[in-house]
Amino acid sequence: MFITMQDRARLATDLYLPASSGAARVPVILIRTPYGKDQRYFKEHSQPSSTIRFFVEHGYAVAVQDVRGRFNSEGVYTVAMGDAEDGYDTVDWLSKQSWSNGNVGAYGCSYEGNEQIYLAKNKHPALKALVPQASGGGVGSLGGHYRDFSTRVGGVVEWVGSVGWFADYGEKVMPRLSPDLPRDQFNATAALWDGVRRTPSIDFAKAWYHLPMKEALSAQGMPNTDFEDHVSRPPSDPYWQALPHMTDSYTSDVPALFVNSWYDFGTDMTLVEFNHFRQHSVSQLARDNQYVILSPHNHCASARDAKEQATVGDRPVGDTRFAYRDIFLTWFDAWLKGDAKARAAIKQWPRIRYYSMGTNRWQTASAWPPSNAVEKNLFLSSDGNANSSRGDGRLLATPAPASSAANDRFTYDPADPVPSRGGPLCCTGTAEPVAGALDQRPVEIRADVLVYTTPILTRPLQVTGDVRVVLHVSSDVVDTDFTAKLVDVYPDGRAFNILEGILRTRYRTGMEREVWMKSRETYELNIPLGPTSNVFLPGHAIRLEISSSNFPRFERNLNLGGNNSEQVSWVVAHNQVHHTPDLRSRLILPVIEDSRGADSSVHSKAVGSKPSAAPKSGDVFQECADCPQMVVIPAGSFAMGDRGGNGKKNELPVHNVSIERVAVGRFEVTRAQYAAYVQDTGAPTLGDCWTHRELGGTSARDRQGSWQSPSFEQTDRDPVVCVGWHEAQAYAAWLSRKTGASYRLLSEAEWEYAARAGSATSYAWGEDAGSICRHANAADAAVRRTYPEWSTVECDDQHIFSAPAGSFLGNRWNIFDMSGNAWEWIQDCYEDSYVSAASDGRPHDVAGCTRRVIRGGSFTYAAPEQRSASRAWVRDTILIDDVGFRVARVLTQ
């Protein structure tokens, strides 16, 4: 049948109605497609696996429509043109039919997902729910992205996908029967034709290399398409403004359940859509009902490829099965049928469900990026020869030292681009290149690929969120591209691609204007790699590849400036990546550290667990959601005090101490954990804290702070500071009541034993104070820029004040921030020496004592105070903005 639009164009539409609906009115699910309703849906609707059959059998009418100009629908086809208006008219018609209950939802993937974004724009009141899958192509200039129809990334054309898609699906005019035929004659005549379009005789490899690029299809006789407009018009061209893609003024008002996958080319834009719908929908109802599901698969393959032992490309990703259809049915039942049980079920859903590769499990989050993800820098470094995997490129937790080489150089020749290998490919028209995760070693042997790799990891590192790269670059041409690729290197050497990105240098300040480079000048590039969740496991390494091409996924930059699609020649570019103390090229990773993520030990237990009856050293447990995470340390003995002659008199004499098995907080008590205690007990917030203030370029202290408001900004994961010894005692007592266990502060001997973690050196990591920025938040170059009079170390850890707990490497016993970040209150009464110290590890306590030991140094102190033996004291009633605490838990011996 045909539905007439407001401009009188008639769009071919198939309706599938429930067989036994009787007089009952039913809701409608709409699918708008450019791929042929007969070819894609009619032929399979009677199959048991059919999506249409599934919804119809559950009481829905399904309408499948050819978009304007495609197959049996009237009009001339232009990608996305008029789709918002046509969708509105179609919803209006469907909602007013006698068999309709007036509620319409929409469903579909890829182009059919984009259609739902366009459909929502005009806010028809009958449109009640969406399930947009792989709909990233619906984003236009929104947020400065300019991704219209997923044509470009970083201002660079998605070349192989554009060539393939327009060759297969892009023709503007199609032969069709007249809609004026009586319906029975139309259907009878249509049944004589299979409607299958012949595959065009395009030599795709030839098309990829054709110059000028905009004629890549027409040169082989392809009928007129929108290909030339898409590949030749710059991102901010007025052409794009006539299309219904999302801009900053876009609003909608409909609940949406977004679905995408880590190896889709538009996953980043799906999350942009999700956040925009969540923040800018007209009604609170719509804002509160935006959800996302993110699988590890390729484009539109989340449900199709889910299995118990799934692979993406060549990478095994475990059991990815997920009850997609049950979820979709619940979603539509809630919004289209008004099912109260389904509504109640949705209220219990996590906002985001995503699959973590590496550990291969589904996880949840309440927001994207996840609120507990902390950005960590890995800095590029080399001796000047990072070219290929045989080079000396390194990724370091601290900036490259001044003694290392200042840059790496490579040559980019458009005649010999770096080949695409895996990645988020789609719609190529050929079997090559292959999408997904593939071993990158064949690419990494090239001299025009810079390769930077971390040391082998000793603990898991969960990267979940949006990854980006900052490069400082120069070139001898006016314009070129820079590519970046994040890689997970396996113990056997396989190197699987996780994410990749690209930026055309002319768009480094934004897509709105072109800014050319000048020879010998250095420029900063920010290259988004996109979102992911990947746990880099122990024995693996993190790798970053840098180059200037990734072909044929992306078009080649011919390095001439001007309109790249119209040029027929090229020049070779000589490009440089700089990594000096002042030009910090770096990979920025969003890292989650929790009991199931980045820094958990192999023995970790879930939140809410108790330690086992016979806990083993290294066991990690957390007895409630608001409780600190604890790790069991072994019983043993050690020599306590300054062993190397580098300390103070109060660290002597060195004496042997025996320690019983105990559980120690892996992290300092955080603001969030302390806030839970305050909320539960009503404990007063003391406001007499000594805080740091900057006065004329120097620092001073005044007593104006509290744990809620020190003189600097903190996250909920930073250590709580501005709490006194008595407040720390009260917190431990509250934990004991809450859990039924025995929590307390550490004794001084326990603290040093845990800090050393079996080491006999000045620092837990050895004698090298120069590497302190990898292990401790100390007074460093970042502090010196603000407080030049302070004593500091030379390295830079990027933190002036406190850092989120666990931001630095832990010690051998998986305990973090024992050096630096915040001083920690200790149970002991302070004495000026160890002359009368006990040998059994018990705290030294004296009635009426007011001088209490603090340990560990803080962000205000340089290397000497970060030593394992260093000790100081503070009066028990004093609150200071660099003093916090951690707790111990008694174990049954």
Side-chain angles (χ1 to χ4, degrees):
M1 64 170 297
F2 290 87
I3 298 177
T4 303
M5 304 293 103
Q6 291 187 40
D7 66 353
R8 311 312 298 168
R10 291 167 291 186
L11 304 191
T13 309
D14 288 344
L15 285 174
Y16 301 84
L17 300 174
S20 58
S21 60
R25 297 189 174 199
V26 297
V28 190
I29 296 173
L30 171 64
I31 302 170
R32 302 193 72 242
T33 183
Y35 301 119
K37 60 181 178 57
D38 298 340
Q39 289 71 20
R40 177 162 288 199
Y41 289 100
F42 179 77
K43 290 182 178 179
E44 59 94 35
H45 80 276
S46 62
Q47 301 299 315
S49 61
S50 164
T51 299
I52 291 176
R53 179 173 177 172
F54 173 79
F55 285 128
V56 170
E57 289 178 346
H58 284 88
Y60 290 90
V62 178
V64 186
Q65 183 177 79
D66 289 335
V67 300
R68 181 181 293 251
R70 296 293 290 167
F71 294 89
N72 287 320
S73 287
E74 290 185 319
V76 175
Y77 176 63
T78 297
V79 173
M81 184 71 75
D83 283 353
E85 293 75 21
D86 289 350
Y88 184 97
D89 292 347
T90 302
V91 169
D92 190 69
W93 188 91
L94 292 170
S95 68
K96 294 176 179 178
Q97 300 310 297
S98 60
W99 45 261
S100 170
N101 74 352
N103 295 329
V104 180
Y107 180 89
C109 193
S110 193
Y111 198 118
E112 297 163 4
N114 300 347
E115 283 292 320
Q116 298 175 63
I117 304 303
Y118 312 148
L119 183 60
K121 179 180 181 179
N122 288 338
K123 299 181 277 293
H124 195 291
L127 184 65
K128 302 295 186 182
L130 308 178
V131 182
Q133 302 166 64
S135 61
V139 173
S141 62
L142 174 65
H145 292 291
Y146 292 89
R147 293 285 285 276
D148 303 86
F149 197 59
S150 298
T151 300
R152 283 176 173 79
V153 176
V156 184
V157 172
E158 286 260 17
W159 184 242
V160 70
S162 294
V163 171
W165 193 91
F166 280 100
D168 283 346
Y169 307 113
E171 65 270 30
K172 300 181 73 63
V173 178
M174 302 187 75
R176 62 179 62 91
L177 295 172
S178 171
D180 293 325
L181 287 172
R183 181 179 298 180
D184 58 344
Q185 292 185 33
F186 184 98
N187 290 338
T189 305
L192 299 176
W193 302 85
D194 61 15
V196 175
R197 171 184 177 275
R198 288 196 302 272
T199 301
S201 57
I202 298 293
D203 182 335
F204 284 102
K206 182 178 179 181
W208 297 341
Y209 281 94
H210 185 84
L211 296 179
M213 295 180 196
K214 70 178 186 179
E215 298 176 7
L217 293 180
S218 63
Q220 296 192 45
M222 181 70 193
N224 188 28
T225 72
D226 296 325
F227 173 79
E228 185 170 324
D229 283 324
H230 276 240
V231 304
S232 65
R233 294 182 182 272
S236 59
D237 191 282
Y239 172 86
W240 305 108
Q241 298 172 15
L243 303 179
H245 303 138
M246 294 177 73
T247 65
D248 288 335
S249 63
Y250 178 99
T251 61
S252 57
D253 196 30
V254 57
L257 172 59
F258 294 90
V259 180
N260 214 328
S261 47
W262 295 136
Y263 285 91
D264 182 78
F265 54 82
T267 310
D268 53 347
M269 294 301 100
T270 288
L271 289 162
V272 167
E273 292 166 345
F274 161 73
N275 282 326
H276 193 82
F277 274 48
R278 195 174 182 187
Q279 296 163 10
H280 298 285
S281 290
V282 173
S283 68
Q284 191 67 44
L285 177 70
R287 291 194 295 273
D288 290 345
N289 285 283
Q290 306 297 325
Y291 295 87
V292 183
I293 301 169
L294 297 163
S295 82
H297 291 288
N298 291 327
H299 181 68
C300 287
S302 293
R304 182 190 69 218
D305 290 352
K307 61 183 68 173
E308 186 174 2
Q309 296 295 329
T311 59
V312 179
D314 290 337
R315 186 189 188 191
V317 291
D319 187 350
T320 64
R321 292 174 295 179
F322 191 89
Y324 290 101
R325 284 194 170 177
D326 292 342
I327 292 292
F328 298 158
L329 188 62
T330 298
W331 183 252
F332 284 133
D333 283 353
W335 302 114
L336 304 188
K337 293 183 177 180
D339 187 309
K341 184 177 180 181
R343 286 278 186 102
I346 289 172
K347 287 183 179 180
Q348 301 303 313
W349 286 0
R351 189 70 56 186
I352 300 170
R353 283 171 275 197
Y354 65 90
Y355 194 83
S356 284
M357 300 176 290
T359 51
N360 297 339
R361 61 177 172 225
W362 288 97
Q363 300 202 69
T364 65
S366 60
W368 193 271
S371 57
N372 58 338
V374 177
E375 285 193 343
K376 291 195 172 181
N377 293 316
L378 292 176
F379 296 92
L380 279 61
S381 178
S382 75
D383 296 327
N385 299 291
N387 309 76
S388 86
S389 55
R390 294 187 284 265
D392 54 27
R394 301 178 292 273
L395 285 177
L396 304 176
T398 56
S403 59
S404 66
N407 56 56
D408 290 299
R409 303 166 183 260
F410 66 96
T411 298
Y412 162 49
D413 183 353
D416 183 24
V418 176
S420 302
R421 184 166 175 81
L425 300 170
C426 170
C427 323
T428 64
T430 68
E432 295 288 341
V434 176
L438 299 181
D439 190 349
Q440 299 300 302
R441 285 179 291 184
V443 170
E444 293 170 351
I445 63 174
R446 293 176 58 111
D448 56 355
V449 179
L450 304 181
V451 179
Y452 303 89
T453 310
T454 66
I456 301 301
L457 301 180
T458 60
R459 290 188 304 276
L461 187 77
Q462 180 178 336
V463 173
T464 299
D466 299 324
V467 178
R468 56 196 176 96
V469 171
V470 175
L471 295 181
H472 294 272
V473 305
S474 57
S475 180
D476 62 352
V477 296
V478 296
D479 184 58
T480 191
D481 297 339
F482 280 87
T483 65
K485 186 184 297 180
L486 177 66
V487 177
D488 187 341
V489 183
Y490 277 48
D492 61 5
R494 288 176 299 162
F496 287 117
N497 50 298
I498 306 300
L499 289 169
E500 56 191 41
I502 191 169
L503 180 65
R504 184 147 290 175
T505 58
R506 70 177 73 177
Y507 296 123
R508 63 189 178 276
T509 63
M511 300 294 160
E512 295 80 9
R513 67 191 187 102
E514 299 173 333
V515 183
W516 308 114
M517 294 191 296
K518 296 179 181 179
S519 183
R520 293 188 296 276
E521 290 196 10
T522 302
Y523 303 93
E524 181 178 279
L525 306 182
N526 286 273
I527 306 176
L529 299 194
T532 192
S533 181
N534 188 79
V535 179
F536 294 85
L537 297 173
H540 291 226
I542 302 168
R543 178 169 290 168
L544 180 67
E545 298 174 16
I546 302 295
S547 192
S548 286
S549 54
N550 179 351
F551 181 83
R553 182 190 171 187
F554 296 113
E555 64 173 331
R556 297 169 293 160
N557 194 324
L558 302 179
N559 300 327
L560 295 171
N563 192 322
N564 199 61
S565 71
E566 298 177 348
Q567 294 164 345
V568 294
S569 62
W570 63 86
V571 296
V572 172
H574 301 93
N575 297 335
Q576 298 185 49
V577 174
H578 302 267
H579 40 73
T580 69
D582 295 325
L583 300 173
R584 295 177 179 173
S585 293
R586 59 198 183 274
L587 168 65
I588 303 175
L589 299 175
V591 174
I592 291 180
E593 297 165 341
D594 61 21
S595 61
R596 295 176 297 170
D599 295 312
S600 61
S601 77
V602 293
H603 304 300
S604 65
K605 293 190 174 184
V607 173
S609 64
K610 296 283 186 181
S612 61
K616 300 184 290 294
S617 299
D619 278 359
V620 174
F621 61 92
Q622 186 176 3
E623 295 189 87
C624 68
D626 297 321
C627 295
Q629 194 179 106
M630 311 298 292
V631 60
V632 177
I633 64 173
S637 60
F638 77 112
M640 183 175 179
D642 173 30
R643 309 181 195 182
N646 300 315
K648 301 176 182 178
K649 292 181 179 179
N650 68 352
E651 301 168 20
L652 299 172
V654 176
H655 56 291
N656 290 324
V657 181
S658 296
I659 302 294
E660 294 182 344
R661 184 181 54 182
V662 67
V664 173
R666 292 184 69 211
F667 311 100
E668 294 162 328
V669 172
T670 66
R671 282 171 56 98
Q673 291 162 350
Y674 193 79
Y677 150 71
V678 171
Q679 182 176 3
D680 194 32
T681 64
T685 294
L686 303 181
D688 196 26
C689 178
W690 288 99
T691 60
H692 290 83
R693 306 279 177 179
E694 184 178 357
L695 302 174
T698 62
S699 64
R701 289 189 184 242
D702 57 28
R703 301 177 73 166
Q704 297 183 14
S706 69
W707 74 268
Q708 293 175 312
S709 300
S711 59
F712 48 87
E713 293 185 358
Q714 288 188 300
T715 70
D716 284 344
R717 294 185 60 249
D718 279 47
V720 65
V721 294
C722 289
V723 291
W725 184 84
H726 294 286
E727 286 69 44
Q729 294 283 349
Y731 175 89
W734 169 74
L735 271 184
S736 298
R737 295 192 302 271
K738 185 178 180 71
T739 62
S742 178
Y743 282 82
R744 55 174 175 78
L745 297 184
L746 280 71
S747 73
E748 189 172 14
E750 286 173 333
W751 190 96
E752 185 169 328
Y753 180 67
R756 289 186 177 279
S759 68
T761 50
S762 297
Y763 307 93
W765 60 88
E767 296 293 348
D768 180 18
S771 64
I772 194 169
C773 289
R774 299 180 60 207
H775 302 272
N777 181 16
D780 60 350
V783 170
R784 187 168 61 246
R785 288 192 289 271
T786 303
Y787 300 114
E789 78 281 10
W790 285 18
S791 174
T792 60
V793 295
E794 291 304 314
C795 58
D796 188 344
D797 62 25
Q798 305 292 302
H799 295 281
I800 298 175
F801 298 109
S802 67
S807 294
F808 298 80
L809 295 177
N811 65 20
R812 300 177 195 174
W813 290 350
N814 215 9
I815 307 174
F816 296 79
D817 301 321
M818 296 298 280
S819 294
N821 220 14
W823 288 99
E824 299 175 14
W825 286 111
I826 301 299
Q827 182 67 36
D828 294 55
C829 184
Y830 177 80
E831 297 288 350
D832 290 331
S833 75
Y834 290 138
V835 170
S836 58
S839 61
D840 58 4
R842 291 179 299 175
H844 171 69
D845 218 339
V846 177
C849 175
T850 61
R851 298 198 309 171
R852 295 292 174 175
V853 176
I854 58 172
R855 283 294 207 123
S858 77
F859 58 81
T860 65
Y861 288 84
E865 288 77 14
Q866 316 295 343
R867 293 175 301 107
S868 299
S870 177
R871 57 195 298 260
W873 66 271
V874 173
R875 293 199 180 277
D876 58 355
T877 57
I878 297 295
L879 283 62
I880 308 177
D881 68 352
D882 65 345
V883 179
F885 65 102
R886 78 175 70 220
V887 293
R889 184 197 186 276
V890 176
L891 300 173
T892 302
Q893 303 300 322

